Amino acid sequence: MALYVQKYGGTSVGSLERIESVADRIDRWLASGHRVVVVVSAMAGETDRLIDMGGRLGAEGGGREMDMLMSAGEQVSIALLALALRARGHASRSYLGSQVAIRTDGSHMRARIVDMDTRHLSADLDKSVVPVIAGFQGVGPDGEITTLGRGGSDTTAVAVAYALKAHECQIFTDVDGVYTADPRIVSSARRLDAITIEEMQELSSLGSKVLAVRSVEFANKYKVPLRVLSSFVEDDSQNTGTLITHEETAMEQPLVSGVTYSKDEAKITFVGVPDTPGVASDILGPVGDAGIEVDMIVQNTALDGHTDFTFTVRRQDFSHVMRLVRDVRDRVGGREVVGDDDIVKLSVVGVGMRSHAGVATKMFDALAKEGINIQMVSTSEIKISVVIAERYLELGVRCVHSAFGLDQ
Ligand code: ASP
Ligand code: MG
């Protein structure tokens, strides 16, 4: 009799029919003798709708009110699911984050979970009551409602699984697992039976939307067993999804496990800045002070005492950064500042890279054969990322996917 934490995302509870189907699935798991704690997202599109309404009335500066607003979506879905479970003869109780309580550091709209009270949940489980917990929300030290950042229900689920020492945290979503590439772009992409947590963490931070990156970081740090599976496949025996493993198998790892991309990129180049100490910090200082995250940074070899300095930021921050850096340019000098937001970041991830050379060359060759120019490169132990023009995204993903033999 194992304990499972099951998280159902927005599309999985997107309509009353979908909620009924989720209740049926939980009913089946309970019937096979398991105990289940459920975490749910808001119904599909609901959080976007709430944020949009808030924005129209001036969300600026209103972190507290935005949290109040955004957290409302989950209150609806937990109550509906608890009702559907009761209709199937199961005692069930819905909980807001504050009722559990899931305690956070209190920072609005990007709070971190600091600890969790498990008393209600354990008492429910002892009485065969199914707790249904609102994802994405918690309560700050001052009793204020806080949210965990978009996609935060995944993090709630992993944290609950950790706190209850669940056998497995199961993330039910609209795809049946983690793929070697986005199947909408690469028709030959394959579902992975297993992937290491390190690879999953890279994939999530490099653009894969399957799991929120913070949930994967949490699962990695606390070794929470995690599985991604479909809420649309009815036959549970066919629905094994992708297991996120905490150990590399003894088997030889493939060089590359997956290809991913992010369109949320923009780059800024300072052309012909003086190659003197302090320039990089002069350029990036104001960007950091504005709370904007810089991703890749490339500085060319100096020529005649001048150099080009390029960095990338998220696309949503692009116009803000362009405004900031124009002032900087007046101070540091340099020929011009060029911005480009028609770029994407394409990445390959694999723990097999650790023990093999030539992975970057293979990727660059594949892109070169298709005439795709590489604008920037960054690498770490288990990933290689390149920046290319957005119009080459699909071609780039496909050619790299097949270069690493992921089609087979
Ligand atoms: N409903 C929230 C969002 O849309 C949290 C989640 O779905 O994980 O971001
Ligand atoms: Mg999600």
Side-chain angles (χ1 to χ4, degrees), residues 53-268:
M53 285 197 295
R56 282 164 197 247
L57 299 184
E60 251 80 14
R64 177 183 190 275
E65 303 313 323
M66 283 306 285
D67 271 351
M68 192 66 88
L69 178 64
M70 284 194 296
S71 61
E74 274 75 8
Q75 184 161 354
V76 174
S77 51
I78 52 171
L80 290 173
L81 181 56
L83 288 171
L85 286 167
R86 282 172 179 246
R88 282 158 183 74
H90 299 291
S92 177
R93 280 171 69 89
S94 58
Y95 290 95
L96 295 172
S98 57
Q99 292 175 310
V100 171
I102 297 172
R103 299 195 192 87
T104 70
D105 62 7
S107 51
H108 284 296
M109 299 174 76
R110 55 192 166 95
R112 283 181 180 272
I113 296 174
V114 292
D115 76 86
M116 186 178 307
D117 198 333
T118 53
R119 272 175 302 178
H120 291 300
L121 306 179
S122 302
D124 282 351
L125 288 169
D126 288 345
K127 287 180 286 180
S128 298
V129 174
V130 182
V132 181
I133 303 168
F136 178 54
Q137 55 176 263
V139 57
D142 44 9
E144 297 284 319
I145 292 174
T146 50
T147 60
L148 309 177
R150 297 304 305 270
S153 296
D154 293 344
T155 314
T156 306
V158 172
V160 170
Y162 171 66
L164 293 175
K165 300 183 178 61
H167 175 64
E168 193 168 89
C169 179
Q170 303 182 322
I171 308 284
F172 284 90
T173 179
D174 50 0
V175 291
D176 63 351
V178 180
Y179 276 69
T180 50
D182 185 342
R184 287 167 303 183
I185 292 184
V186 186
S187 55
S188 56
R190 289 171 302 109
R191 180 176 59 79
L192 296 159
D193 290 329
I195 186 170
T196 69
I197 187 104
E198 288 172 282
E199 291 172 315
M200 196 63 228
Q201 192 169 323
E202 287 282 11
L203 286 175
S204 296
S205 72
L206 294 168
S208 157
K209 301 260 170 15
V210 181
L211 291 173
V213 62
R214 272 170 61 184
S215 72
V216 188
E217 285 165 8
F218 194 113
N220 192 8
K221 187 165 173 195
Y222 297 106
K223 305 279 169 274
V224 179
L226 194 59
R227 190 185 292 271
V228 175
L229 56 184
S230 170
S231 69
F232 289 79
V233 176
E234 295 285 328
D235 181 351
D236 296 311
S237 68
Q238 296 299 312
N239 196 18
T240 49
T242 301
L243 179 68
I244 322 286
T245 62
H246 291 274
E247 271 151 43
E248 287 172 31
T249 56
M251 265 173 13
E252 178 121 17
Q253 294 287 335
L255 216 47
V256 162
S257 297
V259 181
T260 192
Y261 63 90
S262 160
K263 294 187 187 181
D264 188 13
E265 308 287 329
K267 73 169 189 181
I268 294 100

Side-chain angles (χ1 to χ4, degrees), residues 7-10 40-43 45-48 51 70 73-74 135-137 149-155 212:
K7 180 260 175 177
Y8 292 92
V40 286
S41 294
M43 294 170 79
E46 185 60 13
T47 310
D48 287 334
I51 291 173
M70 284 194 296
E74 274 75 8
F136 178 54
Q137 55 176 263
R150 297 304 305 270
S153 296
D154 293 344
T155 314

